[in-house]
Amino acid sequence: MALVYEYDVFISYRRSGGDAPDWVRNHFLPRLRRLFDDNVDYDVKIFLEDSVPVGGKWPQEIRDALQRTRILIPVCSPKYFLDEWCLAEWHTMAKREEIVAKAGRLIYPVIFSDSEYYPGYAHERRMRSFRNWNKPHPQYQNTLEYLDFDREVERMVEELVEIIAQAPPWCPEWPIETPPPEPPRPSKLPRF
């Protein structure tokens, strides 16, 4: 395992149901990458679950990437806070923040949809809202409204560049939260 950070940003989002996965892939991630590329003189490495290669051990790859990432960007929706993996990713970084309290914030939450039903610990954090621009369809890029989305991501990148620079040095003992393994599925074979 590497002795340094491998990723600057880990994008955490609920991977099933809803529009968040399409929005992240169609709009959020591409604009984030391009704007980072335009604003810093180094390659900002972003982890998205799609980075796990086919045949890769998904839970282990997620844990390893999370441990070797500077900051977490959770894409929040009400069901984000019901997903075991999303919660594990959030709480992993929250524990790291507690360990290195002086290093500043390591969680940069964005609101994808309704924040009324978020848990209390999420409401304690200032979040950047993308509710006005959470359209998942590729055609959305061709609207005037998309320019406002782009400006908001630009402001976000300005802040993220500073946060990434202030991340604490990598530590191999960073704690990692993971959900319990799923119970084995019952056999479909008849019992004799």
Side-chain angles (χ1 to χ4, degrees):
M1 185 178 291
L3 297 175
V4 295
Y5 287 112
E6 185 174 342
Y7 301 100
D8 298 295
V9 173
F10 185 112
I11 298 178
S12 172
Y13 62 98
R14 187 166 178 266
R15 294 156 185 90
S16 61
D19 289 332
D22 289 338
W23 179 78
V24 166
R25 287 185 192 98
N26 290 336
H27 306 297
F28 187 64
L29 178 63
R31 289 310 302 148
L32 205 57
R33 280 191 171 138
R34 285 182 174 228
L35 288 165
F36 272 130
D37 197 44
D38 288 343
N39 286 285
V40 294
D41 61 353
Y42 60 93
D43 289 334
V44 174
K45 303 226 185 227
I46 300 172
F47 181 86
L48 191 67
E49 66 141 10
D50 294 350
S51 306
V52 176
V54 172
K57 295 181 179 178
W58 190 83
Q60 187 60 47
E61 297 259 356
I62 297 293
R63 286 190 290 266
D64 290 347
L66 191 56
Q67 186 179 43
R68 295 186 322 259
T69 299
R70 294 178 196 277
I71 64 167
L72 179 77
I73 299 177
V75 178
C76 302
S77 64
K79 289 185 179 172
Y80 175 93
F81 295 99
L82 300 175
D83 185 282
E84 288 181 325
W85 275 100
C86 293
L87 291 175
E89 293 159 4
W90 179 294
H91 291 302
T92 291
M93 258 334 156
K95 280 188 176 184
R96 190 182 305 178
E97 281 181 337
E98 289 173 20
I99 292 169
V100 292
K102 296 176 190 167
R105 53 197 168 142
L106 303 175
I107 299 174
Y108 190 100
V110 300
I111 299 171
F112 175 75
S113 59
D114 186 20
S115 61
E116 183 179 338
Y117 299 103
Y118 294 1
Y121 63 85
H123 283 289
E124 291 173 0
R125 294 181 183 264
R126 183 173 160 258
M127 299 184 169
R128 183 168 293 279
S129 180
F130 283 93
R131 281 185 293 217
N132 293 334
W133 308 288
N134 65 1
K135 314 316 184 272
H137 312 291
Q139 307 86 315
Y140 182 55
Q141 296 174 12
N142 301 324
T143 67
L144 286 175
E145 190 178 274
Y146 195 80
L147 295 174
D148 293 331
F149 164 75
D150 192 57
R151 281 188 211 97
E152 192 65 17
V153 178
E154 274 184 56
R155 286 189 282 273
M156 178 181 171
V157 164
E158 288 173 11
E159 290 182 5
L160 288 172
V161 167
E162 289 180 33
I163 294 168
I164 290 169
Q166 295 170 5
W170 185 76
C171 174
E173 284 84 37
W174 290 136
I176 299 292
E177 293 280 316
T178 54
E182 293 181 23
R185 292 189 176 134
S187 173
K188 293 183 180 182
L189 297 174
R191 293 188 159 206
F192 295 101

